[in-house]
Amino acid sequence: MRPQTVQEMASAAEVIRRNLDGHSNTVYVNTRRLTHINMTAFNCIAEILSSACKADRQRKIVIVTSSVIAWSAPLFKTLASDEPNLLVEIYDSAFYPGQTFVEDESFIPILRTQTKMTWRHEREILGRHGLRDGLAIADICCGIGDFATLIKRHFNPTRLLALDHSRKSLEYARRVAADFGLTSIEYTYGDASQMLLADNQFDFVTCRHSLQIFDRPDVLLRELYRICKPGGRVYITNEKNSHCLGEPHSESIRWTYDQVARLFSHFDMDVEMGPKSRRLLTDAGFDAIQVETFMVTNLDGDPRDFANMIEAWENVYAGQMAVRRGDPPDFIRRFRQGFKDHVLAALHPKGYAGWPIWAASGRKPY
Ligand SMILES: C[S@@+](CC[C@H](N)C(=O)[O-])C[C@H]1O[C@@H](n2cnc3c(N)ncnc32)[C@H](O)[C@@H]1O
């Protein structure tokens, strides 16, 4: 909204006025896609909202903004400070149930060790799913950016955008990129379920371990599809946590990972999503779907890496999530024991420990 004169706003102003007049109780004004505004437009909207507030003090008007658009909430909040029945809601401050866990700093060690473990496999797998040198690539829900850094180094993309909604993870990612002198990765703060990116821009779109933590994976997939070029591919990875395994102490390990799946589901996250990838991609409209599984194990490299990953899981899953759910101490003790047994299996000279992952991709039809 960048009109030169207020007359240019006439028809938009009329729509807003008509809708406000037509509703009582609570009216929501959604500004999540309003990326740019000039003072002419803002003053015009402000005047309409203020008059509507004064005309009916019983009616609440809620402006829905997004933290992704930096100017939006502060500007509307200034306006709301003068009108008791005008409220501002930042839609993405609590927009999916597991948000506080995955956007927290304590998640960083998990993401670091996970990517270190999975890259050995994915480096080969990605080629089978169509990744090659010289493509425009987007890594959506990029976390701390380690995967983007690896893509940059090994696949020399023409463009590489990495988007996430965790400010802490993005700060970390930018720091790492600066330390390694990588200047061309476009780290972007954004909401993957409503991205401010144009349609049909990327040849290859990745979204790893993230559909499973969002309560509306279909919405995310729709966005991944939208930004992918026709003929391009969207690549996703997801887990099935209850299939994590280890020897010795397989029973204790199995019990704990069954509980992990239930714990995540309590927070509306589906860490059993891996085998559902084919259905999800099909329902989202992709064709030429490919699905494969791989098992990250303690034999892949240094078993200590595997053990570090499990310890990081234990810290967040037992130390934070189970506590938040209100689990009793006896449960948490048993829950922790399965992680400890998984670590033991990883470090045992005759032990075996595994973490299965589903990698899948689909082509956006021409
Ligand atoms: C389990 S982590 C995976 C991160 C990374 N892909 C990796 O494999 O290391 C999930 C990530 O999704 C991000 N995320 C979740 N919902 C998001 C959304 N709606 N928009 C952008 N990022 C989101 C979280 O901040 C977190 O960094």
Side-chain angles (χ1 to χ4, degrees):
M1 276 187 174
R2 283 180 285 194
Q4 295 298 306
T5 64
V6 77
Q7 284 73 32
E8 283 175 49
M9 281 288 290
S11 57
E14 176 51 26
V15 170
I16 301 170
R17 248 188 230 108
R18 192 168 357 103
N19 277 288
L20 288 172
D21 289 347
H23 296 89
S24 49
N25 297 324
T26 304
V27 184
Y28 291 88
V29 182
N30 184 352
T31 65
R32 282 164 54 194
R33 286 239 186 235
L34 185 56
T35 54
H36 297 86
I37 195 167
N38 65 11
M39 283 320 282
T40 306
F42 184 76
N43 288 338
C44 172
I45 292 174
E47 206 277 314
I48 297 170
L49 292 171
S50 296
S51 313
C53 283
K54 289 184 178 72
D56 181 357
R57 283 290 181 206
Q58 300 311 310
R59 177 181 48 192
K60 270 200 318 190
I61 300 178
V62 182
I63 317 244
V64 183
T65 63
S66 161
S67 73
V68 171
I69 303 164
W71 60 265
S72 182
L75 202 58
F76 283 115
K77 275 185 177 164
T78 310
L79 181 65
S81 63
D82 289 337
E83 302 295 346
N85 49 333
L86 184 63
L87 304 162
V88 177
E89 188 179 287
I90 304 175
Y91 132 89
D92 55 338
S93 56
F95 68 143
Y96 65 99
Q99 186 174 4
T100 47
F101 300 116
V102 289
E103 292 191 3
D104 192 76
E105 245 162 340
S106 53
F107 223 72
I108 291 177
I110 293 188
L111 300 184
R112 282 234 75 161
T113 40
Q114 282 190 178
T115 307
K116 188 170 175 192
M117 298 297 293
T118 53
W119 180 251
R120 285 191 189 92
H121 300 264
E122 283 186 277
R123 193 180 167 183
E124 303 300 320
I125 289 171
L126 283 159
R128 295 200 284 277
H129 289 254
L131 184 57
R132 55 181 193 280
D133 283 5
L135 299 183
I137 300 171
D139 185 31
I140 305 303
C141 302
C142 65
I144 57 167
D146 280 1
F147 182 74
T149 310
L150 290 162
I151 291 283
K152 174 80 195 155
R153 203 179 310 149
H154 294 277
F155 290 94
N156 196 25
T158 51
R159 179 179 179 197
L160 179 54
L161 176 135
L163 178 143
D164 201 277
H165 193 269
S166 162
R167 291 188 195 275
K168 300 227 171 80
S169 293
L170 285 173
E171 261 168 40
Y172 183 96
R174 291 192 179 106
R175 234 181 8 250
V176 171
D179 287 349
F180 286 95
L182 296 171
T183 50
S184 58
I185 304 176
E186 300 167 43
Y187 284 113
T188 308
Y189 176 64
D191 168 14
S193 64
Q194 187 156 75
M195 290 187 274
L196 302 174
L197 297 169
D199 300 354
N200 307 325
Q201 283 193 54
F202 298 96
D203 303 295
F204 201 80
V205 179
T206 58
C207 184
R208 301 170 51 264
H209 303 279
S210 298
L211 291 172
Q212 60 184 28
I213 55 115
F214 202 73
D215 58 336
R216 306 255 335 257
D218 52 320
V219 175
L220 240 64
L221 267 172
R222 209 181 303 143
E223 281 291 271
L224 303 178
Y225 183 97
R226 185 180 66 75
I227 64 168
C228 185
K229 289 180 190 170
R233 291 190 80 85
V234 169
Y235 168 90
I236 59 176
T237 63
N238 291 290
E239 302 163 46
K240 184 167 173 78
N241 262 271
S242 64
H243 281 203
C244 285
L245 51 85
E247 285 287 350
H249 301 303
S250 61
E251 282 307 313
S252 153
I253 295 168
R254 172 134 41 103
W255 183 84
T256 283
Y257 285 98
D258 269 339
Q259 298 306 321
V260 170
R262 287 183 205 182
L263 178 62
F264 272 76
S265 122
H266 175 81
F267 294 103
D268 281 352
M269 299 187 261
D270 182 6
V271 288
E272 297 287 272
M273 183 175 279
K276 301 171 192 165
S277 308
R278 185 177 176 207
R279 172 173 62 72
L280 283 165
L281 288 167
T282 309
D283 290 351
F286 292 96
D287 64 14
I289 291 164
Q290 287 171 225
V291 182
E292 58 186 294
T293 51
F294 62 100
M295 180 80 87
V296 172
T297 81
N298 59 328
L299 304 181
D300 288 346
D302 183 349
R304 190 65 244 173
D305 288 343
F306 195 98
N308 288 344
M309 182 176 74
I310 307 308
E311 282 165 359
W313 287 353
E314 183 191 341
N315 284 339
V316 174
Y317 304 169
Q320 294 181 24
M321 294 174 70
V323 173
R324 173 91 68 86
R325 186 171 60 169
D327 291 336
D330 278 356
F331 173 90
I332 294 184
R333 209 169 302 120
R334 187 173 175 199
F335 191 39
R336 282 191 182 276
Q337 190 56 48
F339 292 114
K340 292 188 198 315
D341 287 335
H342 209 193
V343 168
L344 179 97
L347 299 179
H348 193 288
K350 296 184 207 163
Y352 183 81
W355 170 42
I357 296 171
W358 274 251
S361 70
R363 183 180 61 186
K364 178 170 174 174
Y366 288 98

